[in-house]
Structures are given as C-alpha cells and as structure tokens.
Amino acid sequence: MTTRLDQLTQAMSLHRWDVLLITDPKHVYYLTGFASDPHERFLGLLLQNGEEPVLIVPALDGDAAAAASSVSNIVTHQDTDNPYELLRKQIKGSIGTMALEKDQLTVSRYEQLQHFLSAHSYSDAGQVLRDMRIRKSEDEVKIMKRAVALVEDVLSQGLKQVKIGMQEIELVAELEYLMKKLGADGPSFDTMVLTGTNTALPHGVPGSRKIAEGDLLMFDLGVFAGGYASDITRTFAVGQISSEQERIYNTVLAANQAAIRAVKPGVTYGSIDKAARSVIDEAGYGPAFLHRLGHGLGMDVHEYPSIHGLNEELLTSGAVFTIEPGIYVPGVGGVRIEDDVFVTDNGVEVLTSFPKQLTVLG
C-alpha cells in the first residue's frame, strides 16, 4: 500500500526537489498522524531524497509526537534553541531546490530559511498536497460523516431553543454549548445565526437582533470531529413569512437540488455552479446570488477546490465539497441552503441529510 509519505517522495523525484519541508500543522497530521498546535513555535516535517523523514517538534510536544507519529525520527527543540539552525543540521550537503508550502511561508520564515539553509531555489509543494487531500479515503469520509451527524444533531436540538425575542448571539451560545456537549471537538468556524433582514448579509455577524414573527432565520454552522470539518446551512421561517420570501426560499432549494444532480466524475466544477446559478437567474434573482457555489471540505472547513463558474477542473471521485446557493435581498432577507457532498465513482453521495423543505418554527 502506497502511503502518503511515499506519494510525496514520488512527487519529489518527479519535480526534482532535493528537500521538502512541511510546516502546516494540518499537513503534518495528515502525513504523520501527529496533531498539534505549536502556536509560535517551529513544527516541521523534513523529507530528503534517500534519507529517513525527520519530524522536528517543540520539546514540550516530544512525548506526544513519539506516541502518535508514524515518523520515528523525531528531533525536539527548546524555546531557547534556534530551530532553523537545528533544521540545517538535519540536512545532508548543499540544497539545490527546496520545496515548501508557499501559502504558509511568511517573509520572516523565508529570511530565516535563506540565511541558514541557502537553497539555490524554492518551489511550491502546495499543489501536490492539494491534489492528495482532494481525494478522501474511506476512513476520511467515515470521519466526515460523523462530523456531519454531530452538527445535524446540534442543529436539531438547537432549534428547540428558538423563541420569539431571543437574540441571535444567545442562540449562537446555545449551539456552541451543544457542540461540546454532544462530542464535537469544537466549531469548525464562527457559528452564524442571523434573523430578519440580517439574513440578507451572506457573512453577517450575529448580534443583538431579536427573532420576530415573520422573520427568516438562517443557521450556518459546522464542527470539527476527529480532525475533519462539517459545514451546513439551513434557513427557516418564523411564523408566517411573505410570498416573496417563500419564493426566494423555493428558488434556492431548486438551485441546490439542480447542483447536486449535476455532480459526477468528469464534469467541471464550473458546470455545477452554472447548474445552480441558471435556476436563480431564471427566477430573476441572478444579481442576488453574490458568491461562489461552494468550496472544498476536509481537514479545513474551506479548502481546495473553489466551486465557481470559471473553474474548468474536472471532478474526481473522492472529492468532498459544499453546495450552498443563496439569494440575498436587502430589506427582505436572504436564504442559503448548504449541503456537503461526496463524489463517488458513479455520481454523488450527499452527506448532509437535514430536511430542506421550508419549515415554519413556532
């Protein structure tokens, strides 16, 4: 069985990288099984052609790394050490091309690497890692299904707390309490609860606005469980809503369903966005769909790829991403309906199962 480290070693040979340094904690976990938050301290996985991988961790994480990591060659550093000097000592000989995750590379870190390592050139390993992460294994999907089940349980129980006059932020607090109570590691992003005209703000910030009769009420929430994220949005009616609000809801639901039907291996991501957008355009709300259709989902709540109309990349089995069309009309309100989907060999499996038909609360 080819391991993830084996795949990276093959990529190093293909791209003629002499050294590969991984510093994103999530990538270190993905490749070694060791999960940590090093804060400002240095964490790095070093791969060199023909050499055993080296995991460099803060001394306070040494025991945890030894217990969890598949990499046995672990080097620790104290807070008083210069980890870049330590890194250089692990590298054999001069460095031609060094590969890094350029998205993770600060100017300060680059200056340190250049001073102590003096590589001839630097290459970006980001695309290789993204291509690996986009194809979820059976085990990864199983973990993600648990994260989805947890967040749907949170939403189900949270809806029982909804009361006229309750503030958005109060409901956020209830939901995030439930996340921990039900076994999630925590929220995968800042929980969003918006009511009334605030629902017309795609990334609104929950505040003191109170839930009122005739409101649309939007929940956008997710959890981390086992290192993987879930992400779901549902919008509800509080009592009797207007005919326009109901029309907006039904249009978004139809767009969501059209996009899901379009998912299968070999089609472009752009075609899925267009499948949803055409429904909203035909209903006359095209300009009110203000964002891309969705985003990749996995160890990060927002990861590669971006699901937008100009993305001509082809879907491959194993990909997991969100489908979340929305319509946002100032003064009227907004609706977003978001599902997490998994691309199978033959089509699509929708991981989220929370009901999507318009539900009236109260």
Side-chain angles (χ1 to χ4, degrees):
M1 177 180 176
T2 302
T3 68
R4 291 166 180 170
L5 285 175
D6 289 336
Q7 291 180 58
L8 271 188
T9 300
Q10 293 168 11
M12 289 179 69
S13 177
L14 177 66
H15 295 285
R16 298 182 179 178
W17 298 334
D18 300 304
V19 173
L20 170 58
L21 178 65
I22 303 295
T23 57
D24 182 339
K26 285 184 177 164
H27 282 155
V28 171
Y29 171 61
Y30 181 72
L31 295 164
T32 72
F34 170 57
S36 75
D37 181 355
H39 302 289
E40 75 281 4
R41 297 179 175 92
F42 182 86
L43 171 71
L45 174 65
L46 177 67
L47 301 179
Q48 306 167 77
N49 286 319
E51 301 292 338
E52 185 182 357
V54 181
L55 180 60
I56 302 173
V57 303
L60 54 81
D61 290 328
D63 289 344
S69 175
S70 62
V71 171
S72 58
N73 189 1
I74 298 171
V75 175
T76 63
H77 62 91
Q78 301 287 342
D79 289 342
T80 51
D81 294 333
N82 186 319
Y84 299 94
E85 288 183 348
L86 185 63
L87 174 64
R88 185 64 185 94
K89 292 176 181 177
Q90 308 306 313
I91 298 174
K92 313 296 184 186
S94 60
I95 306 170
T97 299
M98 182 175 193
L100 309 139
E101 307 137 301
K102 286 190 174 181
D103 286 348
Q104 298 293 314
L105 192 65
T106 64
V107 173
S108 174
R109 177 164 288 178
Y110 169 76
E111 289 175 343
Q112 292 273 25
L113 290 171
Q114 184 64 355
H115 176 74
F116 286 101
L117 277 63
S118 302
H120 181 265
S121 63
Y122 294 91
S123 185
D124 186 19
Q127 190 61 52
V128 169
L129 290 159
R130 287 190 289 270
D131 287 344
M132 289 174 62
R133 283 178 58 178
I134 198 172
R135 291 178 177 269
K136 270 60 177 184
S137 67
E138 289 183 12
D139 287 342
E140 287 178 295
V141 174
K142 186 181 297 184
I143 296 169
M144 294 188 73
K145 286 180 176 180
R146 177 172 176 265
V148 167
L150 275 168
V151 79
E152 293 192 331
D153 200 4
V154 168
L155 180 55
S156 178
Q157 294 196 33
L159 287 174
K160 298 173 184 177
Q161 308 296 321
V162 174
K163 298 180 180 63
I164 298 293
M166 190 177 198
Q167 294 181 346
E168 294 166 335
I169 198 69
E170 289 181 86
L171 201 42
V172 168
E174 294 284 354
L175 292 167
E176 294 194 346
Y177 165 72
L178 283 167
M179 290 176 187
K180 288 286 192 176
K181 181 181 178 181
L182 294 174
D185 299 331
S188 53
F189 57 94
D190 289 341
T191 302
M192 184 189 300
V193 176
L194 301 173
T195 193
T197 54
N198 281 355
T199 56
L201 304 171
H203 275 179
V205 178
S208 59
R209 187 182 180 100
K210 295 179 179 180
I211 299 169
E213 179 79 18
D215 276 358
L216 290 168
L217 180 60
M218 183 187 294
F219 295 77
D220 188 350
L221 65 162
V223 300
F224 277 119
Y228 286 79
S230 56
D231 187 1
I232 187 173
T233 306
R234 293 292 187 266
T235 307
F236 302 90
V238 181
Q240 183 66 43
I241 58 174
S242 70
S243 58
E244 182 178 10
Q245 289 170 326
E246 188 170 347
R247 182 168 182 262
I248 289 170
Y249 188 96
N250 290 331
T251 301
V252 173
L253 178 58
N256 169 276
Q257 293 168 332
I260 291 172
R261 288 195 299 270
V263 176
K264 61 182 178 181
V267 303
T268 67
Y269 285 101
S271 68
I272 302 170
D273 181 285
K274 290 170 186 174
R277 205 166 296 274
S278 64
V279 173
I280 293 174
D281 285 343
E282 289 172 9
Y285 289 105
F289 184 6
L290 303 171
H291 52 75
R292 63 188 177 181
L293 179 67
H295 54 81
L297 186 68
M299 293 170 64
D300 290 301
V301 72
H302 280 199
E303 62 180 49
Y304 175 82
S306 180
I307 322 304
H308 58 73
L310 299 181
N311 188 340
E312 292 301 308
E313 294 177 78
L314 302 181
L315 274 72
T316 56
S317 60
V320 178
F321 55 90
T322 67
I323 287 178
E324 48 183 304
I327 294 174
Y328 312 91
V329 181
V332 176
V335 172
R336 183 166 63 251
I337 300 172
E338 176 183 21
D339 286 306
D340 303 339
V341 302
F342 167 54
V343 183
T344 66
D345 290 339
N346 301 313
V348 61
E349 179 182 353
V350 183
L351 304 182
T352 38
S353 60
F354 203 94
K356 291 186 285 190
Q357 296 302 319
L358 180 59
T359 299
V360 178
L361 306 176

